Amino acid sequence: MTTPTFVYDGDCSFCTTCAEFIETRIPTHARVIPWQFADLDALGLTVEQCEEAVQWVGPDGTTAAGPDAIALMLNDAGRGWQLAGGAMQLGPIRLAAWPAYRWISGHRHLLPGGTAACSLPQAQRDLLYPKDA
């Protein structure tokens, strides 16, 4: 793989809104794709990993999750964004980023653009909203 990939939850409106922001405002070289449409096996990811947090898969196959994935995506975007990405990788900020990320991901259904479906694991979403219906 030569193109980095940033994977998010496409069934979550909040996550989709964030991904659209990335695609329109952050000049990353990464392919930004919902995990539901990604070849997870080829990326070396599991559904469980993708349900837990956003994922970054670098061109060399290295992976990162959550705020670490966001930091690598920002580093990939170039100069101005590298400052934010680099700051997120600093010890104290990184330590704070994980609890903040977990809080946001646990409350994403309450955030702008979020829906009740954002709070459900994929297995429950599939039961409520079958793709064949």
Side-chain angles (χ1 to χ4, degrees), residues 5-18:
T5 304
F6 186 82
V7 182
Y8 68 96
D9 184 352
D11 283 343
C12 172
S13 295
F14 177 75
C15 299
T16 300
T17 300
C18 292

Side-chain angles (χ1 to χ4, degrees), residues 5-70:
T5 304
F6 186 82
V7 182
Y8 68 96
D9 184 352
D11 283 343
C12 172
S13 295
F14 177 75
C15 299
T16 300
T17 300
C18 292
E20 289 170 356
F21 179 87
I22 292 167
E23 290 179 313
T24 58
R25 304 265 166 85
I26 300 176
T28 181
H29 300 100
R31 182 173 59 131
V32 179
I33 185 169
W35 69 259
Q36 292 86 349
F37 297 109
D39 183 349
L40 297 182
D41 289 335
L43 293 170
L45 299 172
T46 65
V47 170
E48 293 77 21
Q49 287 173 301
C50 294
E51 283 187 332
E52 182 73 24
V54 295
Q55 302 290 320
W56 170 269
V57 181
D60 60 355
T62 59
T63 60
D68 296 334
I70 295 167

Side-chain angles (χ1 to χ4, degrees), residues 66-112:
D68 296 334
I70 295 167
L72 291 173
M73 183 271 302
L74 292 171
N75 284 337
D76 178 71
R79 284 193 174 167
W81 296 102
Q82 283 177 331
L83 292 173
M88 286 181 69
Q89 293 175 309
L90 295 174
I93 296 173
R94 185 171 184 263
L95 287 174
W98 272 104
Y101 182 88
R102 286 188 189 106
W103 187 91
I104 290 168
S105 69
H107 294 85
R108 59 191 175 157
H109 61 288
L110 301 172
L111 298 171

